[in-house]
Amino acid sequence: MYLTRFRFNTARVTARRILSSPQMLHAAVMSSFATPPVQEDDGPRVLWRIDRNGKSETYLYIVSPLKPDLTHLVEQAGWPTTGTWQTYDYGPFLSRLAKGEEWAFRLTANPVHTARRNDTEPTKITAHVGMRHQMQWLLQRQEAAGFRVVEKPRERQLIPGVDVHELVIRERRHLEFRKRGNSRPVTLVTVTFDGRLEVTDPDALRRTLTRGLGRAKAYGCGLMTLAAA
C-alpha cells in the first residue's frame, strides 16, 4: 500500500476546475495508474480525499495498492517546473499499529441513513444534515472500524454529558454534479471529521485505513488518515 500527497496550485484555472468536480477528481486519480487497480469490496482499494488547509494550501491524499504517477496533475494543476508529489510506502506504518495507541485522525465521509416518510413508501438513502447526527454516524461505526474516539475529561466538556468526545466537524460540503451521460444530478453531503482515537482492533483499523469507511468512496469519501496525537 502507498500513501501519496499532492498540492494543487489553486492560482491555476485548471486546478480550480478540477477541484470543483468530484467526477473530474475521480478521473484524475484513476488516471494515475497505467493499469487501474481492481476495486474489490473485500480488499484494498483506491481512496482519496481533498484537504483544504487554507486559501493556498489544498492537498490531494491518495491511498492505493499501486504506486501512482501524478505527472498529469503536476502539468495541469500544479507547478510543472518546480512541483512534484510525495509517495510513501504505507505498509510499515500499517503493520506497526498496536492496540491501545492513540492517534489524531482526519476522515472525510458521507454520513447517510435509510429513511421513509410513511409505511407505504420504500426506504431510501438519505443524508444526515445535523452535526449531532453526523457525529453519531461515526460513533456508531467506531467499534467495527477498529477504534474508539477518545472521550474528554469532564472538566474539558463545554456541555457536560453532550460534548463528550475528542471530535469536531472541520468542514461540511453539499455537492451537486452530473455523471457523464446522465441528466439527473448527483447530490452528496460530505463531512470532514478531526479527532483523536484509541486503537482497539489493529486488524480492523488496517482494513478501515485501506478499504475506507462509509459510502461515496469514488467521490472523495471514506479515507481516514492518522497522525501523531
Side-chain angles (χ1 to χ4, degrees):
M1 294 299 295
Y2 296 92
L3 172 65
T4 300
R5 185 178 76 163
F6 166 79
R7 183 180 175 187
F8 279 94
N9 181 354
T10 53
R12 302 185 66 176
V13 173
T14 305
R16 296 196 297 271
R17 186 160 60 89
I18 293 172
L19 286 166
S20 70
S21 169
Q23 190 80 350
M24 290 183 68
L25 277 164
H26 173 69
V29 169
M30 298 311 294
S31 296
S32 303
F33 308 97
T35 302
V38 177
Q39 304 277 47
E40 297 179 351
D41 291 338
D42 59 347
R45 57 177 295 149
V46 177
L47 302 168
W48 61 272
R49 185 183 78 221
I50 296 295
D51 279 7
R52 296 171 177 83
N53 298 329
K55 287 185 177 180
S56 61
E57 285 196 16
T58 299
Y59 291 95
L60 167 67
Y61 286 88
I62 303 172
V63 165
S64 56
L66 300 178
K67 197 172 184 178
D69 183 339
L70 302 185
T71 303
H72 61 300
L73 274 176
V74 173
E75 293 173 345
Q76 297 173 28
W79 286 267
T81 59
T82 60
T84 183
W85 66 92
Q86 299 82 40
T87 295
Y88 307 94
D89 184 353
Y90 207 21
F93 173 78
L94 294 172
S95 66
R96 289 196 302 267
L97 288 173
K99 186 174 181 178
E101 292 179 339
E102 289 193 7
W103 296 91
F105 73 87
R106 178 168 293 174
L107 166 71
T108 293
N110 171 226
V112 296
H113 62 116
T114 56
R116 58 183 175 184
R117 289 178 296 183
N118 56 62
D119 293 340
T120 63
E121 289 186 350
T123 58
K124 66 176 184 177
I125 304 293
T126 306
H128 285 300
V129 294
M131 293 179 67
R132 182 177 176 185
H133 289 105
Q134 290 167 344
M135 287 187 174
Q136 192 62 33
W137 175 90
L138 178 60
L139 295 172
Q140 289 170 348
R141 285 156 179 77
Q142 60 181 346
E143 182 178 355
F147 64 90
R148 178 185 66 85
V149 178
V150 174
E151 295 186 2
K152 297 178 182 178
R154 190 170 180 84
E155 62 271 16
R156 288 186 51 226
Q157 297 177 17
L158 297 179
I159 306 176
V162 176
D163 177 37
V164 175
H165 296 92
E166 295 276 7
L167 180 65
V168 297
I169 290 179
R170 183 172 185 270
E171 182 180 37
R172 300 196 297 170
R173 296 174 68 85
H174 182 91
L175 307 175
E176 186 171 309
F177 57 96
R178 283 179 169 80
K179 292 184 179 180
R180 183 174 297 178
N182 194 331
S183 60
R184 296 184 61 185
V186 176
T187 59
L188 204 62
V189 172
T190 69
V191 178
T192 299
F193 300 98
D194 278 354
R196 204 164 143 200
L197 62 77
E198 177 188 342
V199 181
T200 57
D201 184 336
D203 289 334
L205 183 56
R206 278 188 277 270
R207 288 193 295 271
T208 299
L209 297 175
T210 57
R211 302 179 192 179
L213 185 62
R215 298 169 62 91
K217 297 181 181 72
Y219 300 118
C221 296
L223 173 56
M224 174 184 278
T225 53
L226 306 182

